[in-house]
Amino acid sequence: MDCGGAADRCHFALPRSRDSAAATATRRSSAAAARHALAGICVGYLCGILWFAGTCYWIFDTMHRYGGLPIPAAMLALGLFCMYVGLYHGMFGLLLALVAGSSEVAGSTLSVRRALVAAPFLWVAVELARTRITAFPWELLDIRRPRILRSRELPRSPACMGFRLKFCW
């Protein structure tokens, strides 16, 4: 039945049903979760870029001195390298943000506990992915350990990944 568009004009004047209120709440919740996940990616990615720029600074010198690249090209190579490998830190930030939940419950004790329990497992998974997918096993957690802790402070692990999990925990 054609009402001549009168129903379309009056649609906004009608009170909303519970279903539309629930749909609006779901949209807001999913939008908050998406913003929270995006923030996790951005913070993780930025930290990854800064981490690799600070720890793999020697790539610039190697590319310039031994590779014969001019200074701008060597800086570009270092920047591209840091941006590529920083993606793994961004993936860690995304996974951790998804485990922690949306920003509406991000401050709750349950959300914090969930993130703290999941963080070591997620970190080891991301390092394993970086080692196997990228074939770039530099700056892994167990390699940095001797500079952070003395070797005898932690018992021996059966494997590097097991040590990383124990060290993160």
Side-chain angles (χ1 to χ4, degrees), residues 47-58 78 82 139 144:
C47 288
I49 290 172
L50 293 175
W51 172 259
F52 285 106
T55 57
C56 295
Y57 60 89
W58 50 268
L78 175 63
C82 292
E139 299 300 324
R144 302 298 295 178

Side-chain angles (χ1 to χ4, degrees), residues 15-145:
R16 293 187 174 185
S17 67
R18 280 191 237 162
D19 293 336
S20 68
T24 303
T26 303
R27 280 195 303 274
R28 285 182 186 156
S29 175
S30 63
R35 282 192 305 271
H36 190 63
L38 182 63
I41 291 173
C42 291
V43 169
Y45 185 56
L46 180 64
C47 288
I49 290 172
L50 293 175
W51 172 259
F52 285 106
T55 57
C56 295
Y57 60 89
W58 50 268
I59 290 177
F60 166 77
D61 192 44
T62 303
M63 291 292 153
H64 176 62
R65 185 177 297 173
Y66 302 112
L69 291 178
I71 290 176
M75 289 177 73
L76 179 65
L78 175 63
L80 290 174
F81 166 78
C82 292
M83 290 183 349
Y84 174 66
V85 185
L87 287 172
Y88 288 100
H89 287 252
M91 183 171 62
F92 172 74
L94 169 67
L95 293 173
L96 195 62
L98 291 176
V99 167
S102 68
S103 59
E104 295 170 358
V105 292
S108 71
T109 306
L110 178 62
S111 174
V112 171
R113 286 183 183 169
R114 221 181 354 189
L116 287 174
V117 167
F121 297 102
L122 295 175
W123 186 261
V124 170
V126 167
E127 278 196 345
L128 182 63
R130 185 168 51 121
T131 302
R132 301 292 184 207
I133 295 171
T134 311
F136 185 74
W138 294 340
E139 299 300 324
L140 299 175
L141 190 59
D142 63 330
I143 295 172
R144 302 298 295 178
R145 173 189 55 95

